[in-house]
Amino acid sequence: MEKDLIILGLESSCDETACAITKNGKLLANVISSQIEVHQKFGGVMPEIASRLHLENIACVVDEALKTSGISMDEVDAIAVTRGPGLIGALHVGIQAAKTLALIYNKPLIPVHHLCGHIYANEFVEKLSFPLLAVVVSGGNTELVYMKDHLDFEIIGETKDDAIGESFDKVARVLGLPYPGGVAIDKLAKQGKHAYKLPTPLHDGSLNFSYSGLKTAVINLVHNLEQKGEKVVIEDMARSFEDVAVGMVIDRVKKATKLYPVKEVVLAGGVSANSYLREEIVKLFKNSDVHVIIPPIWCTTDNAAMIAKVGEYLYREKIFAPLDISVDPSWKIEDFKKF
Ligand code: KG4
């Protein structure tokens, strides 16, 4: 019988401090300390405050994950930690904590790419099958990743400017909605209609995205209407914006699955919680051979369960790092073995 594989995962790339423990792929503990309420006061994540809060909370989430799982540090086989991409100061807290645990308990250290984590979160639903297309849509990234096999990542399309989540957050802000804006827009859009005409940027036939022009168009339209003394119907603006933003994803996914021999499409990242995107992706492949995995809402937000999950695959490949590694705030997924 194979020996049990126990991974302790740590995540601190943005505004969630998290620790999880997996045993042979099964989740034994998944502790998340969210900073959202603190950042809400500022209308977005304040990097300096995020780092300080990670520092305050990291030991507590580790302690709680060990208690909940009933696992001792001696039983843990390796420490997996998010090395990037993300906020530099926030990432440092997780990496330092992971290095400390690895040094004290003499465990291998496994640096994990945050977006690999979001893709592999889908394995808490079912095993990935290949070749697949991962639609990575989050606050900091928008990319289409083609995977021929496990740990084989090829970016086939990406944003040329803003990330989709960033545009949801900025549009929400101009409409007076709370952070994180995507959640509020998702809700409001359901009550609105596509009444405002907005541009669909980047018609170059590629698989790339562009969200900065769309965001600016909404901001300008809102300001123009306000200057004329006209009321902005925020439900309709939310609907109009969401249609175009999600429409761009659907268009690129449609194109990508024609160009690449894809068996499966998986959604990943914070914006994959968007109910309209979920519906449209399912609709797109309803009568086709392409299988779709929609992650449960709990793993669309940042968590360490997904980091531990990738950690298992990297452990089997013996992809370990020396204790002098540092973070990489703009680490590319294709370089996940380079540190
Ligand atoms: O994955 P995540 O934490 O960001 C990064 O790690 O970069 O995702 C956060 C983003 C935010 O921009 C938030 O507004 C967006 O995900 N988001 C949503 C929804 N829930 C969260 N966007 C659209 N619809 C949602 N339901």
Side-chain angles (χ1 to χ4, degrees):
M1 212 172 77
E2 249 186 77
K3 185 192 159 304
D4 287 335
L5 176 57
I6 300 177
I7 305 286
L8 184 146
L10 285 173
E11 155 66 36
S12 68
S13 65
C14 190
D15 55 352
E16 264 94 24
T17 322
C19 179
I21 295 176
T22 56
K23 181 176 178 180
N24 305 327
K26 224 177 123 237
L27 195 53
L28 300 186
N30 186 29
V31 181
I32 303 172
S33 166
S34 175
Q35 307 173 1
I36 280 190
E37 278 180 25
V38 178
H39 298 294
Q40 258 169 354
K41 289 182 215 138
F42 304 97
V45 178
M46 299 297 284
E48 181 62 29
I49 295 175
S51 313
R52 282 164 191 253
L53 291 176
H54 284 308
L55 209 49
E56 277 176 28
N57 294 324
I58 195 108
C60 305
V61 293
V62 173
D63 200 34
E64 183 149 348
L66 289 169
K67 273 192 201 132
T68 319
S69 62
I71 296 286
S72 71
M73 276 309 297
D74 289 339
E75 293 172 277
V76 169
D77 291 295
I79 316 291
V81 60
T82 305
R83 175 176 177 260
L87 301 171
I88 188 165
L91 288 165
H92 264 297
V93 178
I95 279 273
Q96 292 307 332
K99 283 187 192 179
T100 309
L101 289 172
L103 180 68
I104 294 174
Y105 295 100
N106 194 24
K107 308 285 178 189
L109 177 68
I110 306 177
V112 176
H113 191 283
H114 182 73
L115 300 181
C116 293
H118 274 302
I119 296 171
Y120 274 84
N122 285 287
E123 285 225 329
F124 288 110
V125 182
E126 60 185 84
K127 288 262 174 221
L128 300 179
S129 47
F130 303 94
L132 70 73
L133 177 72
V135 184
V136 182
V137 280
S138 75
N141 300 273
T142 308
E143 51 197 45
L144 295 181
V145 181
Y146 179 61
M147 292 178 72
K148 285 192 202 125
D149 204 343
H150 278 297
L151 302 179
D152 177 351
F153 307 99
E154 185 192 347
I155 300 174
I156 58 168
E158 64 192 331
T159 183
K160 292 289 153 202
D161 40 59
D162 292 353
I164 182 169
E166 198 179 339
S167 73
F168 267 90
D169 294 337
K170 300 237 168 88
V171 164
R173 204 166 166 169
V174 81
L175 296 178
L177 302 169
Y179 174 83
V183 181
I185 290 192
D186 190 350
K187 261 196 213 143
L188 275 180
K190 289 198 175 94
Q191 302 150 32
K193 50 188 185 309
H194 192 141
Y196 296 104
K197 197 167 162 18
L198 296 168
T200 38
L202 208 65
H203 293 284
D204 62 356
S206 74
L207 298 175
N208 292 326
F209 302 83
S210 166
Y211 282 101
S212 141
L214 173 61
K215 169 200 73 187
T216 309
V218 176
I219 295 172
N220 288 344
L221 184 56
V222 169
H223 289 161
N224 285 343
L225 289 168
E226 281 171 354
Q227 268 166 9
K228 283 195 248 163
E230 287 178 34
K231 189 177 169 313
V232 178
V233 183
I234 57 171
E235 292 84 357
D236 290 353
M237 191 62 83
R239 171 83 269 150
S240 310
F241 163 74
E242 193 184 69
D243 277 354
V244 179
V246 170
M248 199 172 346
V249 178
I250 298 298
D251 174 74
R252 304 313 190 253
V253 170
K254 222 190 264 178
K255 279 190 190 129
T257 49
K258 280 191 187 131
L259 294 169
Y260 290 80
V262 165
K263 257 200 211 159
E264 187 165 278
V265 170
V266 305
L267 283 187
V271 182
S272 71
N274 184 269
S275 47
Y276 180 57
L277 172 61
R278 289 168 162 248
E279 275 165 33
E280 289 299 299
I281 280 280
V282 171
K283 228 192 270 171
L284 184 62
F285 297 108
K286 201 168 165 215
N287 297 313
S288 79
D289 296 334
V290 178
H291 178 61
V292 176
I293 308 183
I294 306 279
I297 296 288
W298 74 263
C299 56
T300 61
T301 47
D302 290 345
N303 64 82
M306 64 189 196
I307 303 304
K309 174 63 82 182
V310 178
E312 289 185 351
Y313 283 95
L314 297 174
Y315 183 91
R316 291 198 185 96
E317 300 287 317
K318 303 239 170 316
I319 301 177
F320 304 142
L323 289 185
D324 62 354
I325 59 152
S326 193
V327 301
D328 185 347
S330 46
W331 205 13
K332 278 202 109 104
I333 198 166
E334 287 152 334
D335 295 336
F336 75 98
K337 280 190 207 172
K338 290 187 198 152
F339 33 78

